[in-house]
Amino acid sequence: MADVAYGEEGHPAGARLTRRERLETVARALWRVYRRHPWLPHLTPLGRPLPLPGVAAHGEQLLTALDGLGLEPAAMLDIEILIYSYVQGLAVHLEREAQAMSATGLSEQQWLDRQLTGLNAIAASNRFPRFASLIRSLDAQGYDFDLDKLFEFGLATLLDGLALDG
């Protein structure tokens, strides 16, 4: 079942993508798979990957994007695992959020509204000045927790840090 799920997202054959675009394409394909199947990122620990063709196809695309950089084999594998683990690690929260909503019957906003007294007390304690300042600055606009936006922001930050734009 996992192999079928991973195989739902292919990669364009012969597409002329930059290295970064190829890495982004693979990461976004994995994200879409996890969005459709939130149970999937929980299936295996990172260090015990399933030997599935569907997973291998995504890994092959990542390795192809890294090929030609002159990286040591271990470094290539480290980067492949880093990108895969970033997507998987964030995707774990897709199911956790759904479970929390099911268990409490509260939307994210309703739950946060119930936590405001405690958060404001922490901010008012003067023990955490940066947190207090941040909370005060967000009062007018709030904060929109959005896993899809967080995924895109994190992916860009990760790839910027790796500086693999070539």
Side-chain angles (χ1 to χ4, degrees):
M1 189 161 68
D3 192 40
V4 170
Y6 279 112
E8 289 176 356
E9 289 284 335
H11 302 282
R16 293 186 179 263
L17 302 174
T18 66
R19 191 177 313 280
R20 184 182 180 113
E21 289 169 339
R22 186 177 299 273
L23 295 170
E24 290 170 340
T25 297
V26 176
R28 288 182 183 126
L30 287 168
W31 183 250
R32 287 190 301 273
V33 167
Y34 292 142
R35 290 293 270 142
R36 283 192 302 275
H37 306 285
W39 52 270
L40 194 55
H42 298 273
L43 195 57
T44 59
L46 189 60
R48 298 170 187 250
L50 294 173
L52 304 172
V55 175
H58 297 292
E60 183 69 11
Q61 290 296 313
L62 290 171
L63 293 174
T64 298
L66 298 171
D67 195 30
L69 287 173
L71 296 170
E72 294 292 323
M76 285 181 66
L77 195 55
D78 285 346
I79 294 169
E80 177 200 12
I81 293 169
L82 180 63
I83 293 169
Y84 179 80
S85 68
Y86 165 69
V87 180
Q88 180 190 33
L90 194 57
V92 162
H93 297 283
L94 296 167
E95 187 171 43
R96 286 183 178 173
E97 289 295 329
Q99 288 171 343
M101 187 170 179
S102 177
T104 64
L106 301 173
S107 70
E108 291 171 10
Q109 188 58 53
Q110 291 168 326
W111 183 86
L112 184 58
D113 290 345
R114 291 188 178 188
Q115 306 307 313
L116 282 178
T117 301
L119 290 171
N120 287 333
I122 290 171
S125 73
N126 293 323
R127 291 181 54 208
F128 310 100
R130 296 295 163 250
F131 176 73
S133 175
L134 181 68
I135 293 299
R136 280 192 302 274
S137 68
L138 287 175
D139 272 348
Q141 63 203 25
Y143 176 76
D144 183 25
F145 177 77
D146 182 323
L147 279 171
D148 292 309
K149 287 181 185 177
L150 194 57
F151 167 77
E152 288 295 335
F153 175 73
L155 180 61
T157 303
L158 174 62
L159 296 179
D160 287 349
L162 291 171
L164 300 171
D165 289 325

